[in-house]
Amino acid sequence: MSISIMKFDLNQRTLSSLCFCLFSCWLLSVPFEGQVLYTLMENSKIHGITHNILAVFANFAGLFTSGFFIKEQIAAKMTMITSTVVCIAGSFIFYLPFSRLWYISIFFVAFFSGLFVASWGFYLKNYSPAGERLRTIADVLICSNVLMIFINVMAVNVSGLAALTLSIGALLSSLLLSFRLEAKTDVRLSKKALEALPDNIPSILNPLLFLCLFILIITINSGLMYQVVNPAFEHLSLLTSYYWAVPYILALLLLRNLPSKINKAYVLYIALTMIGLSFILFMGLNRSVLSYLLINTLMMGAFGVCDLFWWSILGSFFDYWKNPVQIFGIGLSMNVLGILIGGIAGSNIVTFERGYFKASIIALVIIFIIIILLPILNNKLSRLLKNHVFLVEFASMIESERKRIIDDFKVYKQLTERETQIVELLLRGYTYKAVSESLVISENTMKYHVKNIYQKLNINSKMELIKIFAEN
C-alpha cells in the first residue's frame, strides 16, 4: 500500500482552522474580556466586571465539561454547529436595551463557546500531523487575534453596535464553514491513533495534571493584566485598541518560524523573565505612552510564547489519549480558570492603596513559583514524550527535504523499498502493529523486516533508529 495514506486532508485542516479563527475572533472581542461587550456596557451606564467574571466562569465550565459528553468527531461537529447558532442568537440580545437578559445571554454564549473550542480538538488531531500542530495552532491564534484587533478598534473608536454586527458576521461565516466539516475521520487514522496509546494510563495523567497546574498558576498573571495593567492605561484608548495584541501576534510569528533545533524550553524561560520585567516596570514607570509600549510589548509577547507552549503540548497529548476534546477542554479550562482567579484578585487589589504595587508583587511571586516548577514539568513531559522529541522535527520538514533525506538514508544503509517504507512510518511515530496494518502485511512479516532493518543498521530499538536518522 502506498505511503500516501499518511497524507492529511489539507482542505479539512484549512477549513476547520478558518472555522475556528472566525469563531474565536468573536469570542475574544465580545464575551471573553472583549471590548465590544465592555463598550456596550459602558454605553448602558453599567460599570464593574460582573459580566466579565460571569463570562469567564461560564467559558471555563464549557471547556471543562465538554469532554465528558463529546466523544466522537460527529458529536464534535454537531456541537460546533449548535454552539455557533446559540452564540449568534445570544449576540442579538445585546442590541436590546440592557436588562438581566444580558447576563443570561452572556452565560450561555460563553458556556457554548467553551464547547466549541474544545470540540475543535478533534480536527486539530485528525487533520494536522503531530509535527505540524504547533504551526496550525500558531496560525489560528494569529488569525484570531488579527481579526479581534479589527473588531476591537471598531468598538472603541467607531461604534460598539457596529463592532457587534461585524462579530456576528464572523460567527455566521464560521457557521457556514462548519457545515462542510467532516463528521467522521479516516478509519485508518483512528486505528493508528488507538495503537499509539500507551497501556499505562496513570503515566499520562501525572504529567497532564502537572501541566494543568502549571497553566493554572501562570495564567493568574493574565487575569492580573486584564484587571490591573490594562485599566491603568485606559486613557490611551486609541493606542491600546490598535497595539494591545500586536506583540502577542509577533511572538507567535517568531515561534512559528523558529528552527526546530532551538530548545524551546529556553524560550519559555525568556518569556517568564519578560513577564517579571514587565510587572517590575509597571511598578516603577508612569502611565505614559512610552511606558505602555514597553510594558505591553514585554507582557503580551511573553503571553504569546506561553500560550503557544501549552497549546502545542496539549496537542502532543492527543496521540496518547482517545478523546482529544477531554485533553483540550480540561487543559484550556485551566487557562481560563487562572484568568478568572487573577481577574477577581486584581479587581479587589486595585481598590486598596498601592494596589498596582501589590498586584505586581503577586505577579512576581507567581513567576518565582513557575521558575521552580518548570524543570519538574520538563522532566515529567520528557518522560512521556521523549520518543517524539525528534519526530516533531522530522514531521515538520518540508516534503522535498524529507524525501531527500529518506532517499539518502535508503541508499547509504542499503534498505529495500519495503524496509524504507517501514522506516518512514516508524519515524513518524507509528507503532509496529500500526505499521503492519498500514502496509497490509502480517505481524510476522513486519517483525522479519524490522529484524533485517536493525541488523543492517546495527541497532536494537526504535529509539536507536531515531538517533541514527537524526545524525544524518
Side-chain angles (χ1 to χ4, degrees), residues 184-194 437:
K184 292 184 179 180
T185 188
D186 193 313
V187 176
R188 292 168 296 188
L189 296 180
S190 297
K191 285 183 178 180
K192 182 252 179 179
L194 290 175
E437 290 186 357

Side-chain angles (χ1 to χ4, degrees), residues 36-54:
V36 174
L37 199 52
Y38 269 114
T39 300
L40 293 176
M41 285 288 187
E42 290 175 2
N43 292 342
S44 300
K45 309 301 181 183
I46 304 299
H47 301 286
I49 63 167
T50 303
H51 73 279
N52 184 67
I53 292 176
L54 179 63

Side-chain angles (χ1 to χ4, degrees), residues 262-319:
I262 294 180
N263 191 330
K264 294 180 176 60
Y266 294 128
V267 177
L268 194 58
Y269 276 112
I270 294 172
L272 293 175
T273 303
M274 290 168 62
I275 295 175
L277 181 58
S278 66
F279 275 101
I280 291 173
L281 293 174
F282 181 66
M283 283 191 292
L285 296 180
N286 56 25
R287 301 297 173 253
S288 66
V289 170
L290 183 60
S291 298
Y292 172 76
L293 291 174
L294 185 57
I295 293 169
N296 188 72
T297 299
L298 290 171
M299 191 173 294
M300 290 302 294
F303 286 144
V305 173
C306 293
D307 280 0
L308 189 58
F309 169 75
W310 58 65
W311 277 60
S312 62
I313 292 296
L314 290 172
S316 297
F317 274 100
F318 288 170
D319 296 320

Side-chain angles (χ1 to χ4, degrees), residues 93-161:
I93 299 297
F94 304 130
Y95 285 108
L96 302 176
F98 175 80
S99 67
R100 291 185 179 180
L101 189 60
W102 279 37
Y103 289 117
I104 296 174
S105 176
I106 288 170
F107 178 85
F108 279 102
V109 299
F111 178 83
F112 276 91
S113 65
L115 299 183
F116 181 102
V117 171
S119 297
W120 182 68
F122 263 109
Y123 293 92
L124 176 61
K125 175 182 179 178
N126 293 328
Y127 300 103
S128 284
E132 297 200 10
R133 284 178 194 151
L134 184 145
R135 281 178 170 266
T136 300
I137 290 168
D139 288 341
V140 298
L141 290 177
I142 291 169
C143 179
S144 299
N145 278 272
V146 169
L147 294 174
M148 179 267 292
I149 289 175
F150 186 74
I151 296 174
N152 280 351
V153 166
M154 179 173 289
V156 174
N157 303 297
V158 181
S159 165
L161 290 178

Side-chain angles (χ1 to χ4, degrees), residues 10 22 34 41 53 61 67 69 96 123 146 153 158 236-237 245 254 283 287 318 373 412 445 453 465:
L10 292 180
L22 290 165
M41 285 288 187
I53 292 176
F69 55 89
L96 302 176
Y123 293 92
V146 169
V153 166
V158 181
L236 305 173
S237 59
L254 177 63
M283 283 191 292
R287 301 297 173 253
F318 288 170
L373 293 178
Y412 180 68
T445 302
I453 292 170
L465 172 66

